[in-house]
Amino acid sequence: MQLNEYGDIVVDCWLDLPKHYSNIESDYYVIMPNHMHGIITILVGAGLKPAPTRPLSEIVRGLKTFSSRAINTLRGAPGKPVWQRNYYERIIRNEESLNRIREYIATNPWRWDLDRENPQAKGKDDFDRWLAAFPKPKMRIDQNGRGNPE
C-alpha cells in the first residue's frame, strides 16, 4: 500500500505524538486508505509520586487534531472532517496479546480487500473471529458493584 500526502501527514503526526505526550511511546502502526491501526504504550510511574498520565482519549484527540489541521491546510479546506468521531481501543494485557496485535497490524494491508472498513470489500475478514480468540479478562466485583480486571 502506497501512502498519499495525507497518509504521510498522519505518519508524521503519529511519530510526533511522544513529543506532545511525554508519558507515551508509539509502537506498531499502519495507515490504511480510510483508517489506521496503532499501539500506544502509556507509561505509568511507580513509587510515591507517580508520573502524570494523559487519558488515551486525549492522545487520540491530539492525533486527530494535529493531522486534520495539516491535511486541511494542504487541501485548502479548514474545518472539514477528516476522521470518524470515535475510535476502537483495547487494553493489551500480556506479551502474547501484544505480539498477536502487532501481527494483525503488520498484515492488515494484505487483507484490505476483505476489510470491513473497505467500501469495496470482496469478502469477509476473519477479524471478529480473530479478536474473539483473545482470552477475556477475569473480572473481580468490588464492594461498590464495579468490575475490575484481575
Side-chain angles (χ1 to χ4, degrees):
M1 208 166 282
Q2 181 67 39
L3 293 179
N4 63 18
E5 53 200 353
Y6 304 145
D8 289 336
I9 288 171
V10 175
V11 169
D12 290 343
C13 291
W14 171 263
L15 296 174
D16 205 40
L17 278 177
K19 294 176 187 168
H20 297 278
Y21 304 97
S22 61
N23 66 309
I24 71 163
E25 292 177 352
S26 56
D27 198 296
Y28 271 50
Y29 70 94
V30 66
I31 310 300
M32 300 297 290
N34 64 358
H35 67 284
M36 77 169 288
H37 299 274
I39 299 172
I40 294 173
T41 302
I42 299 177
L43 308 170
V44 180
L48 298 175
K49 195 171 183 184
T53 60
R54 306 276 190 187
L56 181 61
S57 59
E58 182 179 330
I59 298 163
V60 171
R61 181 194 52 76
L63 172 66
K64 290 180 175 185
T65 299
F66 303 144
S67 58
S68 294
R69 283 183 190 151
I71 289 169
N72 283 336
T73 297
L74 183 64
R75 65 184 179 178
K80 187 173 181 184
V82 172
W83 295 94
Q84 65 184 23
R85 284 188 48 192
N86 214 336
Y87 65 95
Y88 177 81
E89 68 180 63
R90 180 171 195 87
I91 297 172
I92 303 171
R93 300 189 183 279
N94 59 52
E95 197 75 24
E96 179 186 355
S97 292
L98 175 62
N99 290 331
R100 289 185 71 186
I101 293 169
R102 283 176 174 158
E103 179 183 356
Y104 174 79
I105 290 171
T107 61
N108 201 257
W110 289 281
R111 294 189 316 278
W112 176 240
D113 285 344
L114 304 175
D115 196 306
R116 63 182 171 183
E117 299 295 332
N118 181 349
Q120 286 90 37
K122 296 178 176 94
K124 187 174 180 184
D125 191 355
D126 286 333
F127 173 73
D128 294 320
R129 189 161 36 120
W130 178 88
L131 189 60
F134 282 103
K136 303 286 186 267
K138 295 178 182 163
M139 297 298 280
R140 178 177 38 84
I141 306 300
D142 66 17
Q143 67 229 23
N144 298 319
R146 290 178 292 213
N148 295 306
E150 292 184 333

